[in-house]
Amino acid sequence: METHAAGYNRNLRYFFSRHVPDARRVLLVESGPRHLIEDILPGLYTQPVNQRVDLFTCFSGLPRGFDTGRGEVFRTHDYQGRAARRRLYSMLRHRGYDILGILCADTPVMAKWKWALAWQVPAKVFILNENCDYFWFDYTQWRTMLHFLLFRAGLTGAEGAATVARLVFAPFVLLYLLGFAAYIHLRRALRT
């Protein structure tokens, strides 16, 4: 029974586990402005258990402070096509990453890549925003994830009320505009 539970959690990428493994092998997904990765790298390299930090990016060049002796860079343009992506996912699955860090800044850079990697790489995932705040992607953080999603959707704070009002009144505005267009066309048809 115990081995079944351990395998179950490992296959679900640690979502149902509060355990945070040591960051011996880390894969960072640079899906946002480069300066954010450059800000987090020094902190990762100072971890005493850290042995390797790899980077998955769509940018050319290396981020400032990236240690090529302690990590490798993977680029999106090297893995175009379904077969190449399958090879990439297989390779990353077998590298034994403990941690997968995903940069979720308010930019649509590599949106599909970051969630595909979160699904394919069996590692504990953390989400990093544009303020360098982060949270672990597990069931205990559901309130943080909900707030994060609502914030990204514009449904929090003063903007939230305006967004909700637009969503509620959109069908009525559409009906009014359709009715007005029908009235104008009907009036024009009756004149001729």
Side-chain angles (χ1 to χ4, degrees):
M1 182 75 173
E2 189 65 37
T3 58
H4 174 69
Y8 183 76
N9 283 337
R10 183 174 38 252
N11 292 338
L12 289 175
R13 291 24 168 212
Y14 303 102
F15 182 78
F16 292 109
S17 171
R18 293 171 47 178
H19 172 70
V20 176
D22 291 334
R24 289 184 177 91
R25 293 186 65 97
V26 178
L27 175 62
L28 290 177
V29 181
E30 186 179 21
S31 52
R34 172 139 286 176
H35 69 89
L36 295 174
I37 288 294
E38 292 173 343
D39 290 346
I40 195 175
L41 279 173
L44 286 174
Y45 286 133
T46 59
Q47 298 294 318
V49 296
N50 185 283
Q51 297 171 0
R52 184 168 191 84
V53 176
D54 291 339
L55 179 68
F56 190 81
T57 185
C58 64
F59 298 116
S60 60
L62 295 174
R64 182 179 28 87
F66 185 79
D67 186 353
T68 56
R70 292 175 64 186
E72 189 175 348
V73 177
F74 305 99
R75 300 189 194 291
T76 57
H77 62 268
D78 294 334
Y79 301 99
Q80 298 300 314
R82 181 173 286 163
R85 285 192 299 273
R86 278 193 200 134
R87 284 192 307 276
L88 170 72
Y89 298 149
S90 176
M91 177 188 56
L92 293 178
R93 270 194 300 273
H94 292 94
R95 286 193 167 224
Y97 291 110
D98 300 304
I99 304 290
L100 172 67
I102 298 178
L103 179 58
C104 286
D106 198 13
T107 57
V109 177
M110 292 175 46
K112 292 178 184 175
W113 277 104
K114 61 185 165 189
W115 298 117
L117 289 169
W119 180 254
Q120 294 289 335
V121 177
K124 184 75 171 185
V125 176
F126 74 89
I127 308 293
L128 178 75
N129 72 7
E130 61 274 6
N131 299 323
C132 285
D133 298 325
Y134 74 95
F135 61 90
W136 293 103
F137 189 70
D138 65 40
Y139 77 99
T140 63
Q141 300 294 323
W142 70 270
R143 286 184 182 101
T144 304
M145 289 185 269
L146 179 63
H147 184 268
F148 187 76
L149 289 172
L150 291 174
F151 183 78
R152 287 288 189 243
L155 297 174
T156 60
E159 293 177 13
T163 302
V164 170
R166 283 193 295 272
L167 288 173
V168 167
F169 290 112
F172 300 110
V173 171
L174 181 63
L175 284 173
Y176 171 77
L177 291 173
L178 288 173
F180 183 73
Y183 168 74
I184 295 298
H185 286 290
L186 181 63
R187 202 168 112 190
R188 183 178 294 157
L190 291 175
R191 282 190 191 162
T192 58

